[in-house]
Amino acid sequence: MALLHRATLRPTKLDLLATWLPGRPWYQGSAGADVVSPGAYRFDDPAGAVGIETMLVGVADGPVHHVPLTYRDAPLDGADEWLVGTTEHSALGTRWVYDGCADPVYAAALAHAILTGAGQAEQFFEVDGRREGRSPTMTVAVSGAGAADAAPVGAVRRVVDGDSTVIVTDSVELVVVRHPGAADATGPTLLGSWDGQPTSVPLAYVRMS
């Protein structure tokens, strides 16, 4: 379950991404272009400390990019090169926004979602002491899931950023497809579809070490 706040962000997530994306090796688009998002999904951090959101983003007439983000209340040690930026959250204060591929909390959540078949987290707003469901903006499913309970992935040992980003952990390799629909998967897979993409395409998959 992902518990969300009705809040404002300055700068917004899309403003941060518009500045950050042109420096990525997998970005296909022009610098300075307006960035739009056709959908997003979330995972849950069991500790409740880190926000985990994956956004689909792109520019007009360009491809969709698959961008995992984590939101933290303090800097992540050793991850300066993966910092997207900081933003002021009207309810939570300063948030450090990272490319999730370098965040061990994201790696653990992604592996859990795929290997257990859990998929995306349900989303809720808390309003006046009660919870209101938030409808997802895309459909996420899992193909080839393994056991109902997966062992922890361990530490993130290396991240190889390219057209697909490979997260090497103690037990598995996680492959994040940066351009959904442009890559095949070779293991248990997280699939997604959204408005404008009615057929499910690979978003990420697991390669067993």
Side-chain angles (χ1 to χ4, degrees), residues 94-131:
T94 304
R95 305 295 283 174
W96 279 260
V97 183
Y98 288 93
D99 180 344
C101 292
D103 194 318
V105 174
Y106 169 75
L110 177 62
H112 176 80
I114 296 176
L115 292 175
T116 68
Q120 67 178 312
E122 290 186 273
Q123 299 180 43
F124 295 89
F125 285 114
E126 191 165 272
V127 181
D128 297 329
R130 68 181 188 278
R131 291 175 180 173

Side-chain angles (χ1 to χ4, degrees), residues 61 66 98 106 160 164 166 168 170 172:
D61 301 322
H66 182 225
Y98 288 93
Y106 169 75
V160 182
S164 289
V166 181
V168 181
D170 287 336
V172 297

Side-chain angles (χ1 to χ4, degrees), residues 29-72:
S30 57
D34 290 336
V35 175
V36 297
S37 176
Y41 62 96
R42 285 185 177 257
F43 297 141
D44 179 49
D45 171 19
V50 178
I52 309 170
E53 181 180 28
T54 301
M55 298 181 67
L56 301 176
V57 294
V59 298
D61 301 322
V64 170
H65 303 81
H66 182 225
V67 185
L69 300 171
T70 56
Y71 308 119
R72 289 176 166 267

Side-chain angles (χ1 to χ4, degrees), residues 2 6 25 36 48 51 100 131 163 169 185 200 202:
R6 295 193 186 276
V36 297
R131 291 175 180 173
D163 286 342
T169 76
S200 291

Side-chain angles (χ1 to χ4, degrees), residues 78-99:
D80 288 354
E81 67 177 296
W82 302 97
L83 181 67
V84 176
T86 59
T87 187
E88 293 300 318
H89 190 288
S90 61
L92 301 175
T94 304
R95 305 295 283 174
W96 279 260
V97 183
Y98 288 93
D99 180 344

